[in-house]
Amino acid sequence: MKRFNPIKFDHRSIFALVAVFVLSCLYVASPRAHGQTNTNKPTRPNILFVIADDWGTDHAGAYGCKWIRTPAFDRLAKEGLLFHRAYTPNAKCAPCRAIILTGRNSWQLEDACNHVNYFPAKFGSFIEALTADGYFCGSTGKTWGPGAVVSKPGQKRQMTGVGFNSVKRRVPGMNANDYADNFGAFLEKAPKDKPWFFWLGTTEPHRGFLRGNGIKHGKKLSDIDRVPAYWPDNDTVRGDMLDYSIEVEHYDTHLGRALKLLDDKGLAANTLVVATSDHGMPFPRCKGQAYEHSNRLPLAIRWPKGIKGAGRRINDFVSFADFAPTFLDFAGVKSPQGMEPITGNSLRAIFESDKSGQIEAWRDHVVIGKERHDIGRPNDWGYPIRGIVTRDYLYLRNYKPDRWPAGNPETGYLNCDGSPTKTLVLNLRRSGEAPKFWQLCFGKRPAEELYRISDDPDCVKNLAGDPKLAKLKKELETRMVAKLKSEGDPRMFGAGDVLESYPYINKGTRNFHKRYMAGEKVNAGWVNKSDFEKGPLEE
């Protein structure tokens, strides 16, 4: 019988065997060994949310706009996803931002459905939920507002995280907040063992603009390829648009500096970056209304470790109520602390696809609406609207068509910021030279509006009275109402007045119409003195 001779190992052979064993284990455990292609499975992502104030539809190079330069936004679109049908359900600062924070539509938010309001304690924000689940959360610039945040007894809320606003830099015509440097200060404070969320909110391109700033920066009136059909096409309007473009570019500059910080600190790969706005540009018929140029907004999202592909263009309808559930989903927060049930839906399927175009077939519409924005009507009433947007059509239902949609003429049309364009449109009616622009921007509206946005994105040809489209109009209304009823919209159950009963909290301008008409000098600093008509207008 042969004698067993044990193998003798020296240190080199032992090292070789160990190396083979380790490599084998790594292979068996690797995603690629199981037919998976993503070998960099992300941990909980950092999240950078960059939001402008009043940046309008398609005004970025990535959408083909030539008269506004947005290299940072274009970079995000190239390295991530560009959305063509992203909508805020409510086109005004406070209600839009309330939707973002809660993942619920404004008709589900009680006081927070309105502008300059109380934010109820019962509605927790996704940022508070992330904080409770271990995220380090901060913000700079404009977050939620204008309004007042209500806290539960004995508590003080940090609804948008810890504020970082101490770094200032003077730029003519712009807010002195150095948003990007304040983001850098946040990153220095962020614990290395925690994921983080940061809200970077610029106040640009909100009014007011430096008059002539666009020309001063070397732009030409002829750079603008088209002026919307609801404004006159002349030097005044084009100059106003160019001044607006400089403010958009200021936003983009800070976005670019924030992206560089992520690159320099090695954080870009696992940071989910969202760049967008809160509603349309601060011009007549855009901000504060419910048309295509009011609610449809720029949106680009990048997350190298968590989004498949790059440079994809997405045609799914996305609501701003979808941001909160997306962030919570990828942060792994299953039961968000302090939040009411969320209406929006995570964008996970879009992130995990590798295709462009329509990813989820059910994302074929959004529902939009508004209640009270800025005041100026009797009793501080609002202008309630609900609507539904599909690929080809926008249907709107105006529930109080006897009211003035942008505010009463005798009190300055207060739901439209003062501007050269607004002044021009008002004067063209007063002179009788071209009243059609005033009618489109400020005139009273019928109870129903229907626009074929596929060929009328300016929404200037109302098709609601076309008998050939009566069946389609009814189908859109039925679909809209069913959706709103499922979300508990009080206006769908004959209780819409409750949405007008929530107080407007700015005491300085509360009951504006009554006080102004009684002769009191009430300050409305966001409009021009010439915006006020000499008396009530009749149509």
Side-chain angles (χ1 to χ4, degrees):
M1 187 169 119
K2 292 185 179 179
R3 184 178 177 182
F4 175 70
N5 292 317
I7 300 174
K8 294 182 180 181
F9 294 92
D10 58 22
H11 69 280
R12 288 174 295 182
S13 57
I14 291 174
F15 177 83
L17 286 171
V18 170
V20 170
F21 176 78
V22 170
L23 290 172
S24 299
C25 291
L26 288 173
Y27 176 77
V28 172
S30 72
R32 192 176 297 277
H34 295 276
Q36 301 176 31
T37 58
N38 183 9
T39 60
N40 294 316
K41 197 170 182 65
T43 56
R44 298 212 292 177
N46 304 311
I47 304 168
L48 173 61
F49 186 72
V50 188
I51 182 168
D53 193 6
D54 302 12
W55 178 26
T57 310
D58 291 345
H59 290 163
Y63 292 110
C65 182
K66 303 297 185 183
W67 53 280
I68 303 181
R69 294 181 286 269
T70 54
F73 183 86
D74 302 347
R75 176 189 171 189
L76 278 187
K78 183 179 180 180
E79 297 175 357
L81 308 176
L82 181 68
F83 292 79
H84 289 270
R85 293 182 177 130
Y87 286 81
T88 174
N90 193 323
K92 198 74 169 186
C93 301
C96 168
R97 291 160 189 261
I99 292 166
I100 293 170
L101 289 169
T102 63
R104 294 169 64 85
N105 281 313
S106 53
W107 42 87
Q108 300 177 297
L109 290 174
E110 299 176 3
D111 298 59
C113 73
N114 290 328
H115 195 60
V116 193
N117 62 289
Y118 292 108
F119 195 106
K122 67 183 287 186
F123 296 114
S125 73
F126 76 82
I127 300 176
E128 291 169 304
L130 288 176
T131 300
D133 208 70
Y135 268 70
F136 179 62
C137 297
S139 62
T140 191
K142 184 169 182 176
T143 53
W144 173 80
V149 178
V150 178
S151 299
K152 294 178 181 178
Q155 299 180 9
K156 185 177 181 181
R157 301 178 67 178
Q158 287 189 325
M159 194 169 72
T160 55
V162 180
F164 286 78
N165 295 293
S166 61
V167 186
K168 307 294 182 183
R169 178 178 298 180
R170 183 66 61 185
V171 178
M174 309 298 171
N175 191 301
N177 188 325
D178 192 320
Y179 312 106
D181 273 6
N182 281 309
F183 173 49
F186 165 84
L187 291 178
E188 292 301 318
K189 292 281 187 180
K192 304 303 180 186
D193 59 344
K194 280 187 173 186
W196 51 259
F197 171 91
F198 193 78
W199 178 300
L200 192 159
T202 71
T203 54
E204 292 78 19
H206 193 286
R207 302 265 178 192
F209 306 158
L210 280 181
R211 191 87 180 255
N213 210 20
I215 299 295
K216 180 180 177 182
H217 280 77
K219 298 196 175 193
K220 298 178 181 179
L221 299 176
S222 59
D223 291 342
I224 297 172
D225 56 342
R226 67 179 296 270
V227 172
Y230 42 79
W231 305 328
D233 185 352
N234 60 26
D235 290 358
T236 297
V237 173
R238 284 175 174 263
D240 205 11
M241 293 172 72
L242 290 184
D243 294 345
Y244 155 84
S245 76
I246 299 301
E247 302 243 343
V248 175
E249 291 172 4
H250 185 74
Y251 159 88
D252 191 77
T253 295
H254 282 271
L255 171 61
R257 289 173 56 199
L259 296 180
K260 187 175 187 304
L261 280 169
L262 296 178
D263 291 338
D264 293 345
K265 293 181 178 294
L267 297 170
N270 199 37
T271 299
L272 195 171
V273 182
V274 175
T276 190
S277 177
D278 56 358
H279 49 70
M281 61 197 301
F283 284 69
R285 201 177 164 92
C286 295
K287 175 182 178 180
Q289 300 306 314
Y291 296 112
E292 185 76 345
H293 293 167
S294 307
N295 294 71
R296 187 166 67 85
L297 297 172
L299 175 63
I301 303 178
R302 185 194 73 179
W303 179 19
K305 279 194 174 183
I307 292 176
K308 283 188 178 181
R312 291 196 284 131
R313 292 176 172 259
I314 307 301
N315 291 332
D316 296 51
F317 280 82
V318 170
S319 164
F320 278 28
D322 297 335
F323 289 138
T326 299
F327 299 152
L328 294 169
D329 180 7
F330 286 101
V333 182
K334 303 299 182 184
S335 301
Q337 186 172 316
M339 296 186 71
E340 293 292 302
I342 288 174
T343 300
N345 298 278
S346 173
L347 300 175
R348 177 177 287 272
I350 294 174
F351 284 14
E352 293 181 346
S353 173
D354 58 0
K355 299 177 181 178
S356 289
Q358 187 81 27
I359 308 303
E360 296 186 278
W362 63 268
R363 287 187 179 272
D364 61 353
H365 73 285
V366 290
V367 175
I368 62 175
K370 57 176 280 193
E371 287 292 330
R372 187 194 68 234
H373 286 172
D374 286 311
I375 36 71
R377 302 179 190 88
N379 304 305
D380 288 343
W381 283 329
Y383 191 82
I385 302 175
R386 298 294 184 272
I388 184 170
V389 192
T390 65
R391 184 185 66 180
D392 294 318
Y393 289 95
L394 166 65
Y395 170 79
L396 296 176
R397 178 75 164 86
N398 300 310
Y399 291 94
K400 302 290 183 179
D402 57 313
R403 299 179 187 173
W404 294 96
N408 279 43
E410 66 272 22
T411 48
Y413 310 90
L414 293 185
N415 200 36
C416 179
D417 298 337
S419 68
T421 299
K422 179 181 179 181
T423 298
L424 175 67
V425 169
L426 295 180
N427 286 337
L428 287 174
R429 183 204 68 83
R430 293 164 182 159
S431 68
E433 182 180 347
K436 68 174 184 178
F437 299 111
W438 176 89
Q439 183 61 49
L440 287 167
C441 294
F442 300 109
K444 289 185 178 180
R445 299 167 185 166
E448 292 183 296
E449 297 177 75
L450 179 67
Y451 301 98
R452 187 181 288 113
I453 56 176
S454 54
D455 57 25
D456 179 23
D458 293 345
C459 300
V460 294
K461 187 177 181 181
N462 185 8
L463 304 174
D466 188 339
K468 295 179 181 178
L469 297 174
K471 181 180 178 181
L472 170 69
K473 184 180 70 173
K474 186 61 178 176
E475 289 173 350
L476 290 172
E477 182 191 22
T478 300
R479 189 177 187 187
M480 177 191 79
V481 169
K483 177 70 171 176
L484 293 169
K485 283 185 174 180
S486 74
E487 295 181 358
D489 181 355
R491 199 161 286 283
M492 298 302 106
F493 300 95
D497 286 350
V498 70
L499 299 172
E500 301 208 78
S501 70
Y502 298 122
Y504 177 82
I505 67 171
N506 186 338
K507 293 181 180 179
T509 51
R510 186 184 295 170
N511 297 318
F512 188 99
H513 188 275
K514 180 179 180 180
R515 292 161 61 190
Y516 182 84
M517 296 305 289
E520 183 179 345
K521 293 183 179 179
V522 193
N523 181 30
W526 62 95
V527 299
N528 299 327
K529 290 183 179 180
S530 63
D531 292 351
F532 293 76
E533 302 291 357
K534 294 180 179 180
L537 299 182
E538 297 295 334
E539 290 198 344

